[in-house]
Amino acid sequence: MDLDAITEYSALHPKPSGLILQYGTAGFRTKAEHLDHVMFRMGLLAVLRSKQTKSTIGVMVTASHNPEEDNGVKLVDPLGEMLAPSWEEHATCLANAEEQDMPRVLMDISVKAAVNLQQDAFIVIGRDTRPTSEKLSQSVIDGVTVLEGQFHDYGLVTTPQLHYMVYCRNTSGQYGEATLEGYYQKLSKAFMELTKKTLCSEDEYRSLKVDCANGIGALKLKEMEHYVSQGLSVQLFNDGTKGKLNHLCGADFVKSHQKPPQGMEMKSNERCCSFDGDADRIVYHYLDVDGHFHLIDGDKIATLISSFLKELLLEIGESLNIGVVQTAYANGSSTRYLEEVMKVPVYCTKTGVKHLHHKAQEFDIGVYFEANGHGTVLFSKAAETKIRQLTKELEDERRKAAAKMLENVIDLFNQVADRQVISTTDAERQVVTPPGLQEAINDLVKKYKLSRAFVRPSGTEDVVRVYAEADSQENADSLARAVSLAVFQLAGGVGETPPGF
């Protein structure tokens, strides 16, 4: 390791004095102007991780659903999964090291992680469409090259596409071809096989309106469109030709505001969906005949998918182990429906795809979706073989039954001076600090029927999230406002008092 060369390169990517960042649920995220040094150092760290694992490692430059002026970076581990927790700690230490200490911290990491510095390293890099992403991506490349790592820059890709590339390269192509063409062919083939027996002949049932959040999803869906044109007609909205990334559109906006995105004209019973800025979230939505908006978020998607699979397994008499993984912030009615009606076991983890994914791997069929639209279905090899053999379709009423799980839920956030003053336990269902906050929440919950409420520091934004459920929308709103006020009073709230008080 040439520490002199690293020091020289690092001077071109200086760290602002005193700046402290945390590798959170999805890596580092903050204002783009604060990230140049972080990108360079994550290039360095990716090389060390590649050398340690003797595998290709991915680096994705994106801030997902955050505003356009933000940016971020996350590392992708060998099987396309999130970075190992121990290396999250290394990432935080390296990013926060003052300039004169950075080479020493880098050496410390290589010693602690038993990195063979003579091992070859290969990194794949991708970025979203933010104006700052190309320059920050080059900073990553600087970090990779100064440690003599090899790299392939995929340029503009969605986050799922970069995860796919990492997995393909580390399985020697057994999972698929590590190209965009390979990605489109694999996914379109799976989609056509899945839907060929369920698509109706009428055009309206084979069409989908897609809100692309003015992000990378628009570019890549345009490229993929002709691969699925025989089975699906796609109309793109918020495609980046006008409008700002994630502004009044996208999956996070639709879920948070419970209304259609701007820029998309919706008619009754049209099928619509929304991506987020890097296209790793998806939620569905529609208007009923009376013009009322309905959201099919991650909780409902997970319930529909797992119910569908459970019914298929019952029809052929298979006893594969199926489980659904949720967080404490999942809709309580979806949990009750799965456990009490469908008899599908549900497990709770901390917030973050990495926690859900790890738990889902314990089952033959593991289903997980966060309410925000992050998620997937994992199949063991045995389960995948069995599922491919299934040809029977479920009756319409069975599919519709899984959707009958609406509950009044509200998801708000509070701004506080320091979100880290709030710490939690029990999969983020109980507040540990500050003192008195959990007791206050418990007292408020007792005032409402069928109610729950949780708070947690956001893993991606400088806010504290407040979640509340109750037996009516009015009561859910009231409980959420009351809990927000408790957070404001006990956790150092800043700005105006939460609305409603």
Side-chain angles (χ1 to χ4, degrees), residues 289-314:
V289 293
D290 296 319
H292 296 139
F293 178 81
H294 295 268
L295 176 68
I296 304 176
D297 63 7
D299 293 333
K300 297 180 179 68
I301 293 171
T303 302
L304 290 167
I305 290 174
S306 55
S307 298
F308 177 80
L309 292 171
K310 178 68 179 294
E311 291 281 4
L312 287 176
L313 294 174
L314 288 174

Side-chain angles (χ1 to χ4, degrees), residues 8-244:
E8 183 179 344
Y9 261 80
S10 184
L12 302 175
H13 306 279
K15 174 186 178 294
S17 181
L19 178 65
I20 301 296
L21 298 172
Q22 182 76 29
Y23 195 101
T25 304
F28 293 107
R29 287 186 194 172
T30 189
K31 299 299 182 186
E33 61 262 30
H34 300 318
L35 283 171
D36 181 54
H37 75 289
V38 173
M39 297 296 179
F40 171 72
R41 296 178 184 192
M42 290 308 100
L44 297 172
L45 191 73
V47 171
L48 293 187
R49 181 62 170 161
S50 178
K51 289 176 180 289
Q52 189 218 31
T53 60
K54 300 179 182 179
S55 304
T56 295
I57 296 297
V59 181
M60 184 68 193
V61 178
T62 182
S64 188
H65 63 280
N66 283 37
E68 187 173 271
E69 57 269 22
D70 289 357
N71 218 317
V73 60
K74 67 175 181 178
L75 273 62
V76 181
D77 253 3
L79 296 182
E81 72 271 47
M82 300 297 188
L83 185 64
S86 61
W87 279 76
E88 290 183 8
E89 297 178 12
H90 295 328
T92 297
C93 289
L94 187 60
N96 292 327
E98 295 302 332
E99 200 66 36
Q100 67 274 13
D101 299 325
M102 194 275 289
R104 176 187 57 79
V105 172
L106 192 67
M107 281 299 302
D108 288 346
I109 292 171
S110 65
V111 172
K112 290 178 182 178
V115 176
N116 177 6
L117 296 176
Q118 305 306 312
Q119 175 69 38
D120 292 337
F122 194 87
I123 312 299
V124 294
I125 302 165
R127 67 179 190 271
D128 68 13
T129 56
R130 294 166 194 271
T132 57
S133 288
E134 185 172 6
K135 180 178 183 296
L136 292 175
S137 182
Q138 183 58 53
S139 299
V140 173
I141 293 173
D142 287 351
V144 172
T145 54
V146 74
L147 272 185
E148 299 182 346
Q150 301 298 309
F151 71 91
H152 180 86
D153 184 6
Y154 280 99
L156 292 169
V157 290
T158 69
T159 293
Q161 286 175 333
L162 189 74
H163 283 259
Y164 168 86
M165 303 305 174
V166 173
Y167 192 30
C168 288
R169 286 178 177 270
N170 287 320
T171 54
S172 301
Q174 293 182 18
Y175 184 72
E177 181 185 345
T179 63
L180 287 173
E181 178 78 10
Y183 178 90
Y184 296 140
Q185 289 181 347
K186 182 179 178 70
L187 266 70
S188 61
K189 181 181 178 181
F191 173 79
M192 297 302 292
E193 288 182 355
L194 178 65
T195 59
K196 64 185 178 182
K197 292 183 178 297
T198 59
L199 290 175
C200 300
S201 58
E202 295 86 351
D203 288 343
E204 63 266 28
Y205 292 115
R206 302 197 303 123
S207 64
L208 179 67
K209 288 185 172 182
V210 183
D211 160 29
C212 299
N214 291 315
I216 184 65
L219 298 180
K220 298 308 166 183
L221 192 52
K222 286 177 183 176
E223 293 176 1
M224 188 176 182
E225 193 173 353
H226 77 272
Y227 290 89
V228 295
S229 58
Q230 291 184 340
L232 184 67
S233 173
V234 177
Q235 293 179 271
L236 305 187
F237 299 85
N238 298 317
D239 63 359
T241 55
K242 58 181 180 179
K244 291 182 64 175

